[in-house]
Amino acid sequence: MWFAIVGTDVPDSLEKRKAARPAHIERLQKLLAEGRLLVAGPFPAIDSNDPGPAGFTGSLILAEFPSQAEAEAWAKVDPYVDAGVYASVSVKPFIKALPSA
């Protein structure tokens, strides 16, 4: 099943994000290589593709896992969690309705 993993950043997370980003991206690349990543990306703090020092307010990952428990376990050890980037992370089942396969 697909799961939406939404991380919400702590205030002023930009420097922590930059430091942890390579390890975060490495994990996402693994999901992508396994065909289990639908989409992933950050929420900019302002209406811009490059928010500069305004930074980001969180991230969205839509990925496939065998169960809610496995999705939560994966999200719990994200490098952004370990680095203190995320204040909270939610994991919800997701049904991809459109575009249809």
Side-chain angles (χ1 to χ4, degrees), residues 18-29 78-80:
K18 287 179 182 178
R21 189 171 191 274
H24 173 77
I25 295 298
E26 184 178 326
R27 293 180 83 225
L28 293 174
Q29 290 288 358
D78 189 285
Y80 283 174

Side-chain angles (χ1 to χ4, degrees), residues 2-5 31 36-41 60-65 92 94:
W2 293 104
F3 290 89
I5 301 169
L31 288 178
R36 298 172 46 207
L37 181 65
L38 186 61
V39 67
L60 169 67
I61 299 166
L62 290 176
E64 189 174 33
F65 292 91
K92 296 182 180 186
F94 176 79

Side-chain angles (χ1 to χ4, degrees), residues 8-20 43-46 51-58 80 83-87:
T8 302
D9 283 24
V10 299
D12 301 314
S13 62
L14 188 57
E15 292 308 314
K16 291 178 183 179
R17 264 185 173 270
K18 287 179 182 178
F43 300 121
I46 60 173
F56 301 91
T57 62
Y80 283 174
V85 173
Y86 291 153

